[in-house]
Amino acid sequence: MELTRARILEFVREPEAVFWVFVFPVLMAVALGIAFRSQNGGRTSVALLDSGPVAARAELEQKLRASPLIELRVLDEETAALALRKTRVEVVVAVDANAAAPTEGEPPALTYRYDGARAEGRAARLLVDDVVQRAWGRADTVNARDENAPRRGARYIDFLIPGLIGLNLMGSGLWGIGFSVVIARTNKLLKRLAATPMRRSDYLLSIALSRLLFLGLEVLAIAGAGRLLFGVQVAGSILALGLVSLVGALSFGGIGLMVAARPRTVEAVSGWMNLVQLPMWLLSGTFFSYERFPEFALPLIRALPLTALNDALRGIMNDGMSLASLWAPLLVLLAWGLTGFAVAVKFFRWQ
Amino acid sequence: MTMPTPENPATAAVSCRGLVKRYPDVLAVAGIDLDVWPGECFGLLGPNGAGKTTTVEMLEGLTTPDGGEITLLGAQWGKGRDRELRQQIGAALQETKLSEKLTVRETVRLFRSFYDQGRDVDEVLELAGLEEKRTARVGKLSGGQKQRLALACALVGSPKLLFLDEPSTGLDPQARLRVWEIVEQFKQQGGTVILTTHYMEEATRLCDRVAIIDHGKVIAQESPAALIASLGARQIVAFSADGELPAEALAALTGVRGVQRQDESWVLSVDRASETLPAVLAELTSRRLQMHSLTTHQATLEDVFVHLTGRGLRDQ
Ligand SMILES: Nc1ncnc2c1ncn2[C@@H]1O[C@H](COP(=O)(O)OP(=O)(O)OP(=O)(O)O)[C@@H](O)[C@H]1O
Ligand SMILES: [Mg+2]
């Protein structure tokens, strides 16, 4: 259709828009992926203070270094405190200064400094203590076996990439539509179009549809970057991923049209766009799981379109779920999209 | 072609009765009656803020009137025939910015796609003198080229009725001439045109009839020639003097048909300037006054406006 074609041409000829839609989310994925990658090959960072009796310290250092699970650094008091604050180390081990130099093989008196509010801090303290106690002869009384099977798609980046796709579909859907509609309105272009026999719902539909072409490219850009740089896999079918993205993009297309239906200025529409997106930025679990919010809020959070889209995308990319089992979030998305479109058609301001 | 019968409003291409539009702070259109006959070019003439655009946009079905009735090609807006009506009208609005990212040809093509029947895109571009600019982005066009593009978009649906809101404002004389030619050609093919303008030459050249609008009311509705003739004079003498002098003294001079005060100057409607000027000079001398500025010209629609309102058409 001619209108959709025109919209697509307009978009492609706007280099900045292309940047924000494609390049920005990929850069964001890269930055976050690097920041949250598992450091030190999965070993725990531990600092040993360089004060206290020398012999005891040397022995402790040697014993800690022997553990394959620990990445040890010897630091002075000040640097160690700083490193702990910045979570560059999870626990600081200090040999008590007043402990008389223990004789060979005698255990030293130790202090562990860590942040008990952090799960990583508590785990690191247990690990270090375990290594120390065993090194000085504590025997395991219970026979236990490890079954360490890291779940596929359980890394932070695996969680993040579908969230970024969702966030980006929301952002580009809302901003892309909101701005172009309001600018066309201030330029009286909408009024001019209203003077033609063009069906008014066709115009709105063409805006929502023109999003679809870019949607494919957007998803491809982010998912591709995740795959190439961090090895993020798509557990489910690619077709399902495409369909979910499509439903998501149409849903945000409808919502975008609804938000853009009335405002006359770019400032006004920006305000509304931010207002609409804010709850979803906060609650929809793009960067961390929304399951952390109180139980009673969860049904509401799940009713948000971005939550639904993120859940569906994660279901497919991380857990390999089928479309049929994702009916609930898909229904939420469709409901939002259709409502948005209907409201937009009814209340759209043509001048 | 038979002349339309002005007595029968049923044959009018467009007619309106008692049209009113009220905005919060101004009564923009205060009861306007118009009849535009098929095949005629009808002009709405008036100063800024007179209500021309508001009137035209009500006729186009873009603005809902607060009162009055509009009949357009035998139909009314909002009675389920809107799309059918829109198929038959073309419009160039005041101040529309078409999408800057599209090329000229893409824009016209887009507008063509809205109409069931219409003209060939390239033919319309040629008509508008834009064939060289076909592949140029709209954002890169000059003001005059943009106006012609707007005209092309209005014509591409081969309308019966064309609305042009200030089609030549801001154009250089050459570009204006081009616009006039396009409108004349459209008229020759039997189209009906309603246009608004500030330019007397434009109204005089293009319009079969004009309505002069001021403060939302029609203050005169005639052919340009009849309006000028209604002044009862063929020439205008305008001057200012460095002191007071009574209007009656001027009215009594040879050949003076009308006297009007416009700011600091006197405007005399006269039969022949060459006859009246010596009398004016004599009058001034007898009152020991000096003449400052002096202009004389053939009477125009502008003078009709000054005569009717005491103000210039482009004064603010
Ligand atoms: N949307 C609006 N809201 C409020 N007032 C308006 C609106 N549109 C027009 N007006 C007012 O109505 C009056 C008539 O405006 P209109 O645009 O019809 O004048 P015009 O004759 O077209 O003038 P111009 O020659 O400057 O184009 C003006 O006083 C204007 O301020
Ligand atoms: Mg106007």
Side-chain angles (χ1 to χ4, degrees), chain B residues 258-306:
Chain B
V259 179
Q260 195 93 38
R261 183 86 207 215
Q262 195 190 353
D263 304 326
E264 291 305 296
S265 358
W266 291 100
V267 181
L268 309 182
S269 317
V270 304
D271 291 334
R272 260 191 301 278
S274 56
E275 206 175 84
T276 309
L277 254 182
V280 172
L281 287 171
E283 180 70 24
L284 288 179
T285 317
S286 75
R287 290 173 185 272
R288 298 179 187 286
L289 292 176
Q290 295 266 314
M291 183 179 275
H292 281 322
S293 58
L294 170 72
T295 57
T296 69
H297 60 261
Q298 297 295 323
T300 65
L301 280 176
E302 175 110 38
D303 302 305
V304 176
F305 187 82
V306 172

Side-chain angles (χ1 to χ4, degrees), chain A residues 80-103:
Chain A
L82 186 71
L84 190 60
R85 267 209 309 284
K86 300 233 159 138
T87 70
R88 278 199 290 264
V89 300
E90 291 296 349
V91 64
V92 175
V93 183
V95 183
D96 285 356
N98 50 6
T103 49

Side-chain angles (χ1 to χ4, degrees), chain A residues 2-3 5-7 9-10 13-14 186-189 191-200 351, chain B residues 57 62 83 86-87 91 93 95-99 101-102 106 109-110 113-115 137 153-154:
Chain A
E2 202 70 24
L3 265 169
R5 196 184 95 102
R7 295 261 328 148
L9 286 173
E10 281 173 47
R13 289 172 188 167
E14 190 101 60
T186 45
N187 282 349
K188 309 231 171 114
L189 181 57
K191 197 185 210 173
R192 178 64 186 87
L193 291 174
T196 70
M198 174 190 77
R199 270 200 195 79
R200 298 186 175 193
Q351 44 184 296
Chain B
E57 288 184 355
L62 294 175
R83 255 173 67 75
R86 296 202 183 287
Q87 292 283 357
L93 308 183
E95 299 176 342
T96 296
K97 291 208 198 78
L98 296 163
S99 176
K101 300 288 172 213
L102 296 182
E106 283 160 358
R109 199 178 131 167
L110 176 65
S113 76
F114 300 143
Y115 296 86
R137 300 271 176 96
C153 292

